[in-house]
Amino acid sequence: MRRYTNRFINEHNLISGRVLSAIVVLPLSLTIAACNQPNSAAAESTPATEPTIATQNVQTTQTEQPTAEIMPVSAPSDTQSTILKNISATVYKDANCGCCKEWVGYAEGHGLNATAQNVEDVSLFKERYSVPQQMRSCHTTVTTDGYVFEGHVPAKYMAQFLKNPPSDAIGLAVPSMPVGSPGMEYQDKFMPYKVMQLNKDGSTAIYATIDSPQQQI
């Protein structure tokens, strides 16, 4: 009798493991696909020539992606603006990261004077600029004033933050790589996410909650 009981438990655990893997892998695969595929929405709304990005050759690891639900939506095309005009920043990224390049182009389309540096280990720069482990994404942007913008932060919130920086803050972060955030557009998918405020004491706070693509504009 004990032999049959153990056999039943083992088979149940095996089946449960397969189901759990299927649930976790699906959103992750969509996030990776969004980072690797061309930005079709951006291609329709931006000029034929790509923005000029000063790069220095020097490769990173991707951060583990969230498993939040991804919802299909009708995302409006993003209009270009100059809300980041007169702001200069360095973007530390992996040379092979497609979504990082998309975000740089997006930010430049909003007026940012960006210099992209391809580095071997982007985590070194995240540590240098005090980005908490749980707030990290694929690229780190640092303005000439020393403010940090981690990951796919919308230009709207960068400009809002820089216009009136909180005294206790060092910047903003969009943890991981939410599908549908700037530079992470993929088909008609969108994953709600939060823009987090990074504080000098290492703490974080919600700066903005993004429930739809329209809130990014």
Side-chain angles (χ1 to χ4, degrees):
M1 182 63 181
R2 181 177 301 174
R3 181 180 59 186
Y4 291 113
T5 301
N6 291 337
R7 179 180 178 183
F8 172 79
I9 293 173
N10 290 336
E11 291 179 351
H12 177 269
N13 290 338
L14 178 60
I15 293 172
S16 299
R18 290 175 178 171
V19 172
L20 178 60
S21 297
I23 293 173
V24 172
V25 168
L26 179 57
L28 174 59
S29 63
L30 286 176
T31 303
I32 294 173
C35 187
N36 291 335
Q37 288 217 0
N39 184 338
S40 58
E44 295 175 358
S45 61
T46 55
T49 58
E50 294 185 356
T52 302
I53 305 172
T55 59
Q56 299 180 10
N57 285 329
V58 191
Q59 203 175 50
T60 82
T61 57
Q62 296 291 356
T63 310
E64 184 178 352
Q65 308 309 311
T67 57
E69 180 181 1
I70 301 174
M71 304 178 298
V73 296
S74 178
S77 59
D78 189 24
T79 55
Q80 302 292 346
S81 71
T82 57
I83 58 175
L84 296 178
K85 184 179 179 181
N86 299 325
I87 297 172
S88 297
T90 300
V91 183
Y92 300 99
K93 58 181 281 294
D94 182 90
N96 300 312
C97 181
C99 60
C100 296
K101 181 179 179 180
E102 292 290 346
W103 186 87
V104 173
Y106 156 85
E108 287 193 322
H110 286 279
L112 182 69
N113 179 18
T115 299
Q117 287 195 14
N118 297 324
V119 297
E120 292 182 356
D121 187 358
V122 74
S123 66
L124 296 178
F125 296 89
K126 300 179 190 302
E127 292 171 6
R128 176 185 297 179
Y129 294 105
S130 303
V131 180
Q133 185 69 41
Q134 69 275 19
M135 293 290 109
R136 296 182 181 183
S137 181
C138 52
H139 59 269
T140 301
T141 302
V142 183
T143 68
T144 53
D145 292 333
Y147 290 109
V148 181
F149 296 93
E150 176 73 9
H152 295 261
V153 180
K156 169 183 177 179
Y157 295 103
M158 289 181 64
Q160 180 177 301
F161 178 93
L162 291 170
K163 184 176 181 180
N164 186 26
S167 60
D168 58 341
I170 63 171
L172 300 175
V174 171
S176 300
M177 298 183 289
V179 174
S181 59
M184 279 295 295
E185 293 86 355
Y186 178 65
Q187 299 178 357
D188 62 347
K189 308 299 182 187
F190 178 79
M191 177 189 294
Y193 64 94
K194 299 182 188 301
V195 178
M196 303 298 294
Q197 178 177 306
L198 307 179
N199 296 322
K200 295 177 181 177
D201 63 1
S203 65
T204 61
I206 297 174
Y207 188 83
T209 299
I210 314 300
D211 293 319
S212 70
Q214 290 81 2
Q215 289 177 266
Q216 302 176 132
I217 300 174

